[in-house]
Amino acid sequence: MTTILLVLAVLLLAAMAYVRFTPVSITAAGPTPTAAAPGDYPTTGGFLAVRAMDGLPSDALQRLDAIVMDGPRVVRRSGDAETLPMIYETRSRFWSFPDINTIWAHDGLLHVHAHLVYGRSDLGANQARILGWLERL
């Protein structure tokens, strides 16, 4: 019985190490966004928010970038407010599951998309994160 528990513990630690230390490819962000095309982006464990830019401050992209980078466990993978899209990797606290967050503007609309890399559900974490960012904006 203790051997089985030991093997299960080792397998659990190996799974945690894999998720925590395996680098996420920038291609996990999906296609380079150019328009509001939710069908082109992962929807499993994902969330897309679209807001009109005319209702936002003129420096909305710079402010949103600062809000995102102020968060815990965030790494900018590419882009900035001048060179869109902005792509970030955020990780969960305990397991360190990676999520990919992509921000871009097109035709007067601000698009913020997030999706998980592993699994089928993020239990609403991406939606809560994005809505929190937009609320602070």
Side-chain angles (χ1 to χ4, degrees):
M1 184 65 163
T2 55
T3 304
I4 293 173
L5 291 175
L6 181 62
V7 168
L8 289 175
V10 167
L11 289 174
L12 179 65
L13 290 173
M16 285 181 79
Y18 177 80
V19 167
R20 185 172 298 260
F21 298 115
T22 299
V24 176
S25 169
I26 194 68
T27 60
T32 300
T34 56
D40 292 342
Y41 300 94
T43 55
T44 302
F47 181 75
L48 174 67
V50 180
R51 298 286 189 268
M53 292 289 286
D54 62 2
L56 299 174
S58 60
D59 62 344
L61 290 171
Q62 290 88 355
R63 292 172 76 175
L64 187 55
D65 178 59
I67 290 168
V68 172
M69 290 305 296
D70 188 43
R73 301 171 305 280
V74 176
V75 174
R76 179 182 292 120
R77 298 300 303 271
S78 72
D80 58 33
E82 305 300 320
T83 56
L84 299 176
M86 297 184 286
I87 300 175
Y88 307 88
E89 177 183 325
T90 56
R91 291 197 173 250
S92 64
R93 183 176 304 142
F94 179 71
W95 274 87
S96 197
F97 281 112
D99 293 325
I100 301 297
N101 309 276
T102 307
I103 299 171
W104 72 99
H106 182 75
D107 285 341
L109 297 173
L110 172 67
H111 304 263
V112 184
H113 180 264
H115 68 275
L116 54 81
V117 175
Y118 300 114
R120 293 185 184 185
S121 173
D122 64 358
L123 304 174
N126 283 314
Q127 180 176 359
R129 181 182 314 110
I130 287 175
L131 294 178
W133 290 343
L134 294 175
E135 189 174 299
R136 289 180 59 195
L137 183 60

